[in-house]
Amino acid sequence: MIDLSTRYLGFTLPTPLVLSSSPLTEDLDTVRRGVDAGAGAVVLPSLFEEQFEIEGHDLDHHLTRHAHSHAEAVTYFPDPADYALGPDAYLEHVRRVKAAVHVPVVASLNGVSSGGWIEFARSLEQAGADALELNVYHLPSDPLRTGAEVEGRYLEVVRDVRRHVSIPLAVKLPHFFSAIGNVALELTRAGAQGLVLFNRFYQPDIDLERLEVVPNLTLSSPAELRLRLRWVAILFGRVPADLAVTGGVHAATDVLKAVMTGAACAMTASAVLQHGVEHLGTVLGELRRWMEEHEYQSIRQMQGSMSQQRVADPSAFERANYLKVLRSYAVQPRPPVIARP
């Protein structure tokens, strides 16, 4: 009997495949179907710091006062209608999802500054959330701001949230820190029990006809998984936190690679958006077949077996592999050009 269970944030998940934070988890029926298809846990959509500011009287005052001073003044802030769930509706959604499924339900907060929104973490815990995923999204665009200051902001937010809740806390990391390993370690010291690698930041595009900067959404591809695998393999066994992979998880092979490098679970959304919730069951079926064919009895048996600490060539995860990769690409010869008479 193949055992697909895994441990993440102190919980035993029935499978390592997690339905990650996305519009999919806004819908209760979709969440139910995802769990029925085999999701080991569910991460709800993020509740954004800006939603608390928009509902505050101070922000409302500033929006009203400057609404006519410039044609685009009020567009600096998201329209409240852009958010599917406000704070009160979000709490109710947590309660309904928790009552409907038997797997851990992880709430998600997205913010960057210390403020009143952090106190909402306690309300999420009281509503029944089993854990909290903190998505700190900060683009350090100010050239005068140092890397240490940017890292300090992340750590400050994590410490503040940790003071407000007792449930497990995971942090969804970006990949652009200059010293990811050290940041990961400091986040665990600040109170994080889990690290989710990595956040996918959506880059704007330019409309050449209208000469406008426009949002652009591209679903993940399996190629994005490699960056995640590299850093999970490096961090496994070196930081006292459960590791999760998100971004690029589309098939059973992706889940296997994530677990073998050291991840406790693999989170997916893009593949489900493309193929439907039932795709989770397809992935898990393929996962079981692979494990049977290769005589693995459990997920825990393979976890970390391909981490940096356990492979024959640890430098393959670092710069020493750079030259090998470049030389491994063979340029295909062009077919001869036959001159026509």
Side-chain angles (χ1 to χ4, degrees):
M1 184 70 176
I2 301 295
D3 181 9
L4 294 184
S5 67
T6 185
R7 294 284 293 176
Y8 180 61
L9 299 180
F11 301 101
T12 298
L13 311 189
T15 77
L17 194 56
V18 173
L19 194 56
S20 63
S21 178
S22 77
L24 290 165
T25 54
E26 289 178 358
D27 181 70
L28 181 59
D29 181 63
T30 302
V31 171
R32 282 199 190 101
R33 290 166 51 214
V35 172
D36 290 343
V42 175
V43 185
L44 301 182
S46 286
L47 191 64
F48 289 80
E49 173 184 353
E50 288 86 351
Q51 291 173 260
F52 296 90
E53 295 178 351
I54 286 172
E55 291 194 352
H57 295 295
D58 289 341
L59 182 60
D60 181 66
H61 166 70
H62 290 296
L63 287 175
T64 304
R65 191 179 73 178
H66 295 292
H68 305 291
S69 63
H70 188 280
E72 297 180 350
V74 296
T75 65
Y76 297 148
F77 299 93
D79 190 318
D82 291 339
Y83 301 108
L85 297 173
D88 292 338
Y90 194 96
L91 291 175
E92 182 58 27
H93 187 57
V94 170
R95 297 185 189 101
R96 294 176 65 204
V97 172
K98 182 60 183 170
V101 300
H102 59 277
V103 300
V105 176
V106 182
S108 176
L109 280 178
N110 185 310
V112 69
S113 63
S114 294
W117 69 279
I118 288 177
E119 299 174 8
F120 192 74
R122 183 182 292 113
S123 298
L124 293 171
E125 180 177 13
Q126 293 170 348
D130 295 299
L132 179 63
E133 183 177 283
L134 188 59
N135 188 341
V136 184
Y137 177 23
H138 172 56
L139 185 64
S141 58
D142 184 352
L144 298 179
R145 179 155 299 185
T146 67
E149 289 176 321
V150 173
E151 294 170 7
R153 174 173 290 193
Y154 278 75
L155 296 173
E156 181 183 11
V157 171
V158 172
R159 291 190 193 99
D160 284 350
V161 172
R162 179 76 280 167
R163 281 195 289 266
H164 284 82
V165 297
S166 59
I167 55 177
L169 174 63
V171 179
K172 200 168 188 178
L173 283 175
H175 65 267
F176 51 64
F177 288 117
S178 59
I180 292 176
N182 181 260
V183 171
L185 183 60
E186 290 301 318
L187 286 170
T188 63
R189 291 172 176 169
Q193 290 107 318
L195 300 174
V196 183
L197 284 65
F198 286 113
N199 207 337
R200 295 185 73 238
F201 296 123
Y202 300 108
Q203 311 301 334
D205 200 354
I206 295 176
D207 186 319
L208 294 176
E209 296 301 322
R210 295 185 296 172
L211 297 181
E212 293 179 356
V213 178
V214 294
N216 182 274
L217 171 61
T218 303
L219 297 179
S220 76
S221 71
E224 296 181 39
L225 186 66
R226 296 172 192 169
L227 178 66
R228 281 86 178 154
L229 297 179
R230 181 185 202 182
W231 278 104
V232 168
I234 291 172
L235 295 178
F236 180 76
R238 294 183 174 181
V239 296
D242 294 329
L243 304 174
V245 163
T246 186
V249 177
H250 286 248
T253 52
D254 302 325
V255 179
L256 287 163
K257 292 174 184 179
V259 171
M260 285 184 173
T261 51
C265 60
M267 300 183 175
T268 186
S270 291
V272 179
L273 286 167
Q274 288 175 315
H275 305 294
V277 177
E278 292 71 21
H279 183 66
L280 297 173
T282 301
V283 171
L284 292 172
E286 294 172 352
L287 179 62
R288 288 189 182 91
R289 283 192 291 274
W290 190 95
M291 291 176 66
E292 288 173 355
E293 292 171 2
H294 293 80
E295 300 182 349
Y296 281 95
Q297 299 300 314
S298 69
I299 290 295
R300 298 184 193 184
Q301 179 186 356
M302 69 173 70
Q303 187 179 6
S305 60
M306 294 296 295
S307 67
Q308 188 184 39
Q309 295 178 327
R310 298 185 185 178
V311 295
D313 181 15
S315 65
F317 287 110
E318 297 180 0
R319 181 174 171 79
N321 197 42
Y322 187 66
L323 186 58
K324 293 181 184 178
V325 172
L326 291 178
R327 289 184 173 176
S328 68
Y329 184 82
V331 178
Q332 300 298 320
R334 294 182 178 182
V337 178
I338 300 175
R340 295 183 179 181

